[in-house]
């Protein structure tokens, strides 16, 4: 099957999400073996911390970038700034003018404006995005001093 007709799904924070899940499991498991809480408030604080970590892990694991045959979809991602609330955004490949990795941010310039989010130049996500955009005929420019060049 041709790669242009397959959906390509990229989860940018998959490793972080797995780490948070593992850390939560370890904390909950350790709670059963180390019982040093003396008051109900300490139990509530611990439970609140675990719930917050689970919520954070779920929020991180739902973030993804999906390439379809005609568009790229940013699902539950902060695409306006580093501190914006996550939302869904669909960009048709016809709307995209340029894709550039400048410094440690990916910028997608389109007819409706600019979308950006943090991205390390040599990360697995950057490599996957470069491949996916170029498979759809959109050049992916990397202009970052953070890229280490081999002599």
């Amino acid at each position: 099957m041709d790669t242009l007709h397959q959906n390509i799904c990229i989860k940018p924070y998959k490793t972080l999400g797995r780490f948070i899940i593992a850390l939560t499991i370890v904390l909950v498991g350790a709670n059963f073996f180390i019982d040093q809480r003396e008051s109900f408030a300490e139990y509530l604080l611990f439970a609140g911390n675990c719930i917050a970590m689970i919520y954070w892990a779920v929020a991180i694991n739902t973030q993804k970038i999906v390439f379809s045959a005609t568009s790229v979809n940013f699902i539950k991602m902060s695409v306006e700034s580093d501190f914006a609330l996550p939302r869904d955004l669909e960009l048709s490949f016809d709307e995209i003018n340029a894709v550039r990795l400048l410094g440690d941010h990916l910028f997608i310039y389109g007819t409706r404006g600019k979308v950006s989010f943090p991205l390390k130049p040599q990360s697995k996500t950057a490599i996957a995005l470069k491949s996916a955009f170029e498979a759809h005929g959109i050049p992916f420019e990397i202009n970052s001093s953070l890229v280490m060049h081999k002599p």
Side-chain angles (χ1 to χ4, degrees):
M1 184 180 258
D2 188 30
T3 35
L4 291 180
H5 300 295
Q6 292 179 355
N7 285 347
I8 300 169
C9 182
I10 300 169
K11 291 189 173 192
Y13 305 110
K14 183 171 51 175
T15 305
L16 179 61
R18 288 180 179 170
F19 173 76
I20 293 169
I21 290 169
L23 184 61
T24 304
I25 291 169
V26 167
L27 285 175
V28 170
N31 182 50
F32 290 116
F33 296 109
I34 304 170
D35 192 21
Q36 295 181 348
R37 288 172 183 66
E38 297 177 2
S39 69
F40 184 69
E42 289 176 340
Y43 281 106
L44 282 178
L45 182 64
F46 178 75
N49 186 23
C50 289
I51 291 169
M53 288 181 72
I54 291 169
Y55 177 79
W56 190 30
V58 168
I60 287 173
N61 282 317
T62 58
Q63 293 183 341
K64 56 186 164 186
I65 304 166
V66 180
F67 287 82
S68 68
T70 58
S71 64
V72 59
N73 297 295
F74 297 89
I75 300 171
K76 303 289 183 210
M77 295 195 62
S78 300
V79 293
E80 294 172 354
S81 72
D82 293 347
F83 303 106
L85 290 174
R87 65 182 182 99
D88 295 349
L89 175 68
E90 180 178 353
L91 293 174
S92 171
F93 292 124
D94 296 337
E95 298 175 346
I96 299 174
N97 298 329
V99 179
R100 294 186 180 103
L101 183 57
L102 303 173
D104 62 348
H105 271 72
L106 178 71
F107 295 93
I108 301 172
Y109 301 93
T111 56
R112 293 189 288 168
K114 174 178 67 171
V115 175
S116 72
F117 59 90
L119 183 65
K120 293 180 184 177
Q122 293 184 324
S123 67
K124 291 179 184 178
T125 302
I127 294 166
L129 284 173
K130 181 176 180 8
S131 173
F133 275 113
E134 289 179 348
H136 288 87
I138 299 170
F140 189 99
E141 177 186 335
I142 299 175
N143 187 4
S144 176
S145 61
L146 302 174
V147 176
M148 291 187 262
H149 300 283
K150 295 182 180 178

